[in-house]
Amino acid sequence: MKEWWVQVGLLSVPLLAVYLHIPPPKLSPALLSWRSSGGYFTYKDQNIFYRDSTGAVGSSDIVILLHGFPTSSYDWYKIWEGLTQRFHRVIALDFVGFGFSDKPRPHHYSIFEQASIVEGLVRHLGLRHQRINLLSHDYGDTVAQELLHRWKRSTFFCPRLVFEPWTNTVALNAGVFFPGSGQFSGPTRSLRRQSTGTCGRRCGLMTAISLFLFSILQYINQRKKHRDRWVGALMSTSVPLHLIYGPLDPVNPHPEFLQLYKKVLPMSTVSVLDDHISHYPQLEDPTGFLNAYLNFINSF
């Protein structure tokens, strides 16, 4: 009898082929509107979707929004109008592999590439020498950390860097303290449990989906490998940092996470939202989130 993993592999090939040829679901009117209000720029032959709205008159401030895994720029739709009332320009993109941007396969997805795409968008929009604020979430936190590392030695200037909570309900991401730090490594444990369980009827399909996502999910390993680089970027920066935190966060639990955050990054300020707020404060509590963010921005 063949090894079980050989059988799974043989079954996965046709399942993956079927999965990759399933037509995408019909877009909702809201998503169609979101897409129609945006545009594309090209980064190394890849089409990258972005939105760029002109907002407040008399302000020169610009904010770039970096979304999380496995979502898209649409994560910001509930606070978009509120941001345009404060910022001259509000900009968001879909990282390659996400949302309306291209999803090449096979492809080596990396945090470094996503950071380069953000820099490419900044150049495309002619903002290279402008003051830029970053508002990041989840996967986007790590992209922001890489940008912060690069911007220490470049002509880009990021006056304020703000983080949202960096976990999600599907346990496929981590925060600024990555696996290997000894704490808050829930995502790695979750993936291990999935990979060592008994293979049932759904194993073949799950394996097919896992193969499809494998290259994007390498960001988890990248976070561990480059922890010193990315956590070090936060520890050494002179850029104002702020954390907006939902205490119902299931992976970075309250109060342990905040205690570690304040110990490692004592220069950062923190906003703790209501007890029932978890991973997506900009969706769960857009008013509370905007108040926290704008209070920080307006403190300068």
Side-chain angles (χ1 to χ4, degrees):
M1 181 177 179
K2 295 180 179 179
E3 296 288 345
W4 71 267
W5 55 268
V6 175
Q7 298 179 31
V8 169
L10 292 174
L11 179 61
S12 298
V13 173
L15 285 175
L16 181 60
V18 171
Y19 174 76
L20 294 179
H21 288 85
I22 295 175
K26 185 177 180 180
L27 295 178
S28 68
L31 284 174
L32 287 171
S33 175
W34 187 264
R35 185 176 64 181
S36 66
S37 63
Y40 292 84
F41 81 103
T42 301
Y43 176 83
K44 294 186 176 179
D45 299 325
Q46 305 297 339
N47 294 314
I48 305 299
F49 174 82
Y50 71 95
R51 286 194 68 187
D52 179 9
S53 294
T54 301
V57 176
S59 172
S60 60
D61 287 349
I62 299 165
V63 61
I64 295 180
L65 314 177
L66 307 179
H67 70 81
F69 177 93
T71 51
S72 71
S73 59
Y74 191 66
D75 283 354
W76 308 105
Y77 83 97
K78 283 191 176 181
I79 63 169
W80 194 266
E81 183 178 353
L83 291 174
T84 61
Q85 294 175 11
R86 170 58 178 81
F87 290 93
H88 174 58
R89 290 175 75 173
V90 180
I91 301 164
L93 77 160
D94 290 348
F95 293 125
V96 66
F98 297 81
F100 296 124
S101 292
D102 282 353
K103 302 167 185 64
R105 50 182 187 264
H107 186 76
H108 177 67
Y109 292 92
S110 75
I111 295 296
F112 299 101
E113 177 188 42
Q114 306 289 20
S116 295
I117 289 172
V118 176
E119 291 180 330
L121 178 59
V122 168
R123 287 190 293 269
H124 173 75
L125 297 176
L127 303 176
R128 184 176 173 85
H129 301 293
Q130 300 295 313
R131 295 170 60 90
I132 295 173
N133 301 278
L134 290 181
L135 176 55
S136 64
H137 175 231
D138 189 83
Y139 182 93
D141 291 340
T142 313
V143 178
Q145 288 171 263
E146 171 58 21
L147 289 168
L148 191 61
H149 176 85
R150 297 181 186 189
W151 288 354
K152 289 189 298 184
R153 297 179 177 85
S154 77
T155 58
F156 285 100
F157 178 54
C158 173
R160 309 178 191 98
L161 181 64
V162 178
F163 291 106
E164 291 186 32
W166 28 80
T167 61
N168 66 35
T169 56
V170 296
L172 291 173
N173 55 64
V176 295
F177 308 118
F178 313 126
S181 65
Q183 300 191 52
F184 308 111
S185 54
T188 298
R189 293 196 297 270
S190 176
L191 290 175
R192 187 179 301 118
R193 286 195 297 268
Q194 293 172 18
S195 63
T196 57
T198 302
C199 186
R201 291 184 177 181
R202 290 179 290 180
C203 185
L205 180 58
M206 291 303 297
T207 301
I209 296 173
S210 296
L211 288 172
F212 176 68
L213 294 174
F214 178 77
S215 57
I216 292 180
L217 289 175
Q218 286 304 302
Y219 80 89
I220 297 175
N221 293 330
Q222 293 164 19
R223 280 174 160 175
K224 180 178 181 180
K225 180 178 179 180
H226 301 289
R227 179 184 183 276
D228 290 345
R229 175 187 180 101
W230 291 331
V231 177
L234 298 179
M235 296 175 66
S236 63
T237 187
S238 59
V239 171
L241 303 176
H242 191 70
L243 166 69
I244 301 176
Y245 179 66
L248 201 59
D249 186 324
V251 176
N252 292 325
H254 183 272
E256 293 86 357
F257 174 75
L258 277 184
Q259 292 170 352
L260 178 62
Y261 182 89
K262 292 177 179 179
K263 178 180 180 180
V264 176
L265 302 172
M267 79 296 285
S268 175
T269 53
V270 176
S271 296
V272 180
L273 301 180
D274 291 343
D275 289 346
H276 67 282
I277 304 303
S278 180
H279 174 59
Y280 283 94
Q282 75 274 39
L283 297 176
E284 298 172 51
D285 183 13
T287 300
F289 171 83
L290 273 173
N291 287 337
Y293 181 52
L294 296 180
N295 284 339
F296 169 69
I297 289 295
N298 293 333
S299 66
F300 294 90

